[in-house]
Amino acid sequence: MERILIVEDDEALRNGIALALKREARQVEVCPDLTDARVSLAQRVPDLLLLDINLPDGSGLNFCRELRKHYAVPVIFLTANDTELDEVMGLEPGGDDYITKPFSLAVLRARV
């Protein structure tokens, strides 16, 4: 079964994304912060990670760098940081895609 992990501190957005991505043969797990994401990763590595950059307990960019030392899971950043430099800074530490908020759920589904 395909597994997607969403790390997003905005509860409404987190739950909306999870609802939009749920389907048969896909498990969607949500985490509000990096602490919970680390626990989830220790249990099972997802097939895809949707990762906010600005989280209450740290930077998604730093988490991605840390993640890349141990795992090859694809990472899509979901963030309000919308400059060209922000995007480059998201892709350089190992992000596979970079989507700025607000975004279309249809576009997100297509990229996933």
Side-chain angles (χ1 to χ4, degrees):
M1 176 178 281
E2 181 181 71
R3 182 169 176 254
I4 297 174
L5 177 60
I6 302 167
V7 184
E8 167 63 54
D9 61 324
D10 181 305
E11 183 178 10
L13 180 58
R14 181 175 67 237
N15 292 336
I17 294 168
L19 185 62
L21 295 179
K22 278 188 182 172
R23 66 178 190 187
E24 196 171 317
R26 178 184 287 163
Q27 177 188 4
V28 178
E29 184 178 347
V30 296
C31 295
D33 54 37
L34 297 175
T35 301
D36 286 357
R38 285 183 178 94
V39 170
S40 177
L41 278 166
Q43 294 171 356
R44 181 173 169 218
V45 178
D47 297 297
L48 174 65
L49 176 61
L50 301 180
L51 180 60
D52 191 4
I53 289 178
N54 301 310
L55 291 158
D57 59 348
S59 164
L61 296 173
N62 292 337
F63 183 69
C64 184
R65 283 185 197 94
E66 175 186 323
L67 185 73
R68 286 291 178 238
K69 293 177 185 175
H70 307 284
Y71 307 105
V73 59
V75 175
I76 298 176
F77 283 110
L78 305 176
T79 181
N81 301 348
D82 62 356
T83 69
E84 183 178 315
L85 180 59
D86 290 326
E87 187 170 350
V88 169
M89 289 176 58
L91 296 173
E92 284 182 344
D96 296 287
D97 203 350
Y98 192 97
I99 302 174
T100 58
K101 299 173 188 175
F103 53 82
S104 156
L105 289 175
V107 169
L108 177 62
R109 278 193 298 268
R111 289 186 179 195
V112 166

